[in-house]
Amino acid sequence: MTWVFSDFWLEGGEDELFQALSLLSGTGQEVVLVHVLSREELEPKLAGDLRLVDSETMSGKEVALTGKVIDAYKEELERYRMMLSRVCAERGMSYVLIPADMPLTDAMFGVLAGAGLVTS
């Protein structure tokens, strides 16, 4: 069994993700993708003119965050999550989302057990 814990934000975008998932699906193992996002990514509360910095690449971007921009972000995040779930299902993989601040016991015996991935 292969477990992949990630935020799945890849520089190569969806093409890079599809390629990686295809390689994993060819291993003959059961594959579980655990999508880990911070509460700030799931429920952004920022507003105004800001400089956002990627914590992994340290690259930054000036943005003006309005209600419309936040709504568009939430829609895109939901589209991306649904796409991940669909692509995993098509390849016989499991997909779950776990907020980064969720206590481990809740993640294990709530989300993962609820998805049938672990037994309590």
Side-chain angles (χ1 to χ4, degrees):
M1 177 178 267
T2 300
W3 292 76
V4 180
F5 293 80
S6 176
D7 62 8
F8 297 106
W9 300 125
L10 303 174
E11 283 189 45
E14 292 176 12
D15 289 338
E16 182 180 351
L17 177 66
F18 295 156
Q19 189 174 41
L21 293 179
S22 292
L23 290 171
L24 278 173
S25 68
T27 65
Q29 296 187 43
E30 183 177 347
V31 178
V32 179
L33 271 63
V34 181
H35 197 180
V36 182
L37 295 175
S38 70
R39 190 64 60 188
E40 293 81 12
E41 289 171 300
L42 293 168
E43 301 164 10
K45 298 193 184 337
L46 300 173
D49 295 331
L50 304 167
R51 178 170 175 76
L52 301 179
V53 178
D54 183 310
S55 63
E56 293 175 6
T57 66
M58 300 312 292
S59 62
K61 183 171 184 163
E62 304 291 331
V63 295
L65 292 182
T66 63
K68 275 186 169 182
V69 170
I70 295 294
D71 289 344
Y73 166 82
K74 288 178 179 179
E75 288 176 17
E76 178 59 19
L77 176 60
E78 184 63 16
R79 183 205 65 79
Y80 191 67
R81 289 186 50 238
M82 293 298 102
M83 178 274 302
L84 273 172
S85 181
R86 184 188 80 252
V87 169
C88 286
E90 291 170 355
R91 289 168 169 76
M93 300 174 176
S94 298
Y95 168 84
V96 293
L97 170 71
I98 296 181
D101 64 349
M102 178 177 279
L104 183 58
T105 54
D106 292 351
M108 290 294 295
F109 301 114
V111 176
L112 297 175
L117 298 168
V118 297
T119 56
S120 51

